[in-house]
Amino acid sequence: MSFKLGLGKSFASLFVAALMATSATAQENLLGELYGIGVHSYYSGDYRDAYSNLSAAVEGGSKDPRVYYFRGLSLSALGQLDEAQADFDKGAQLEVSGGGEQFAIGKSLERVQGAQRLALERVRKIAR
């Protein structure tokens, strides 16, 4: 059974609206904020909120592989394994195409352990 997680009228959707009216530097800052909020929500166990904020970052044009990795981890925790795999693949694609060089990906993923980390590392290894 598959379901869609919607943004609705959330904090994340307000960020997406703000992205449309800002400069490139401001957009990067807002996307970084969405990523940070999403990661915090993920580690707090609020996977729906994590998904919402990370999706807003994707919709805002983020090319940060970590956004896709953490959105995939959130989807995995919500039982959406096919969608999680697609995000892992997209994150790995961005990482190997040069988009990962400016991000401390290994450091960002340090706290992710167990089966989810192993699945993510397999995707990263294949992409390299």
Side-chain angles (χ1 to χ4, degrees):
M1 183 170 140
S2 181
F3 64 92
K4 295 280 184 192
L5 300 171
L7 291 176
K9 293 182 179 181
S10 68
F11 181 69
S13 62
L14 293 174
F15 261 79
V16 171
L19 283 171
M20 303 302 185
T22 59
S23 68
T25 302
Q27 283 182 345
E28 287 179 31
N29 291 338
L30 287 173
L31 292 173
E33 287 291 322
L34 286 168
Y35 164 74
I37 294 167
V39 169
H40 179 74
S41 294
Y42 172 79
Y43 285 127
S44 296
D46 189 348
Y47 304 119
R48 288 184 186 275
D49 190 61
Y51 172 84
S52 179
N53 283 289
L54 295 163
S55 291
V58 167
E59 290 173 16
S62 179
K63 300 298 182 210
D64 183 342
R66 301 171 305 169
V67 170
Y68 289 90
Y69 290 152
F70 276 98
R71 190 172 79 162
L73 290 165
S74 298
L75 284 164
S76 179
L78 291 167
Q80 298 297 303
L81 302 181
D82 290 339
E83 292 90 342
Q85 183 65 48
D87 273 357
F88 290 163
D89 291 341
K90 178 65 176 180
Q93 178 188 14
L94 288 170
E95 184 178 357
V96 300
S97 69
E101 293 173 5
Q102 64 194 21
F103 305 105
I105 294 171
K107 182 78 172 159
S108 298
L109 296 172
E110 278 181 346
R111 291 178 55 193
V112 179
Q113 299 297 314
Q116 287 185 322
R117 178 64 183 262
L118 292 173
L120 181 52
E121 290 304 321
R122 275 192 296 275
V123 171
R124 292 177 74 204
K125 183 178 180 180
I126 289 169
R128 286 186 220 123

